[in-house]
Amino acid sequence: MNIPPIGRTIAEVSHHRIAVDGGELHYVSAGRDGSPILLVHGFPESWWAFHRVIPLLAHDHRVFAVDLRGFGDSSVAAEDHSSAVAADDLHALIRHLDLGAFTVLGQDIAGGALYRLAMTHPEDVAAIVAVEMGLAGFGLEAFADITNGGSWHIGALAAPGIGNMLFAGREAEILGHWAFPSMTAVPGSITDADVTEFARGFARQGGWNGAAGIYRSILSEGEEFRAMAQRSALAVPALAVGGFGGPFTAATVEGIVSGEVASTILDGVGHYVALEAPDELAAAILEFLDAAGL
């Protein structure tokens, strides 16, 4: 269903909403020709993370960017939200779009949903692009270990109810004074207007449930993911793009795919690659897809 934009938008996209089990997903679309690409954001983002990348990809591809449940303008997530629910939502969206297999890009904590989708519905995924992405069971849990340089927010959000208790009413402050500045390397790449747009989704009643559920998944699904990887590897072309995390993303993806992983590390770029280096990210994606025949 086409809808008017609720928040910020760009001229190149149309806005849509579809029903999924227990809620609705908001997504945008651009481009008329070429193989389809689905862009899936991380924390603390929404589809808006890709607003500078979408026009660059849409010249040659049909491009879709989704708000995960609990983020942006998709439904608020339930308190028991998880990466499994997020993966089911992505599958429902791909089936709804009915364009065959997609190149699926996962940024940051979208990794768990992307991996589950590719393993449980291989017909949905023609290739994967991992951008500053980690996986439970492949080192991501270390980022919750504050004694060794990990971040406090993972445990805080994973604790039931704490995100809504502590962060509600402080969304713009949390995002604008901590989350984005702490992991951004390109000055001016994330504006106050960007922060305001991202903060909207979290400012809803229960608005932190989606992020909280994904972080709880990260702290609990590592053994499951290692077992999945041992049983079978993903047989799809894969690209890993690193910024702040350097080779971490490539090492993660190498643990779950059977073939060679194409890797690009963008020097001088922080964690929010799509916002900090949209031209470089789009160029890497287009080169990868061209080489893969997609």
Side-chain angles (χ1 to χ4, degrees), residues 71-287:
F71 296 79
D73 292 313
S74 288
S75 294
V76 170
E79 292 186 356
D80 62 350
H81 187 62
S82 68
S83 68
V85 174
D88 288 344
D89 286 348
L90 295 179
H91 172 62
L93 175 58
I94 289 172
R95 293 298 89 197
H96 167 78
L97 295 171
D98 195 24
L99 295 173
F102 277 63
T103 295
V104 183
L105 180 151
Q107 153 78 15
D108 184 52
I109 62 168
L114 186 159
Y115 185 44
R116 288 185 184 278
L117 173 71
M119 290 294 285
T120 58
H121 297 287
E123 72 280 5
D124 288 354
V125 180
I128 61 173
V129 178
V131 181
E132 280 287 291
M133 191 196 86
L135 278 178
F138 296 86
L140 184 56
E141 301 92 336
F143 286 98
D145 182 2
I146 60 173
T147 63
N148 289 292
S151 179
W152 62 275
H153 77 287
I154 299 176
L157 280 170
I162 295 299
N164 288 313
M165 182 190 303
L166 297 183
F167 301 161
R170 302 178 178 88
E171 293 81 13
E173 183 177 5
I174 290 287
L175 272 56
H177 295 284
W178 167 72
F180 286 115
S182 66
M183 291 190 286
T184 301
V186 179
S189 58
I190 300 173
T191 67
D192 290 345
D194 293 329
V195 171
T196 298
E197 174 61 18
F198 292 127
R200 284 193 313 105
F202 298 107
R204 300 174 294 176
Q205 183 70 31
W208 292 95
N209 290 350
I214 297 298
Y215 279 116
R216 278 195 301 274
S217 295
I218 287 169
L219 297 182
S220 64
E221 63 196 2
E223 184 175 344
E224 177 188 5
F225 281 179
R226 285 192 297 270
M228 288 167 61
Q230 289 172 0
R231 286 196 299 271
S232 63
L234 293 174
V236 294
L239 169 66
V241 181
F244 174 86
F248 179 80
T249 298
T252 298
V253 178
E254 286 168 356
I256 61 171
V257 302
S258 58
E260 183 177 353
V261 176
S263 178
T264 297
I265 297 177
L266 303 178
D267 293 334
V269 175
H271 182 58
Y272 303 104
V273 174
L275 290 162
E276 297 183 63
D279 293 326
E280 294 89 337
L281 176 59
I285 293 169
L286 293 172
E287 182 181 357

Side-chain angles (χ1 to χ4, degrees), residues 55-72:
L56 303 175
L57 299 177
H59 290 296
D60 302 300
H61 295 274
R62 298 194 65 178
V63 185
F64 303 85
V66 65
D67 288 339
L68 290 169
R69 190 187 302 225
F71 296 79

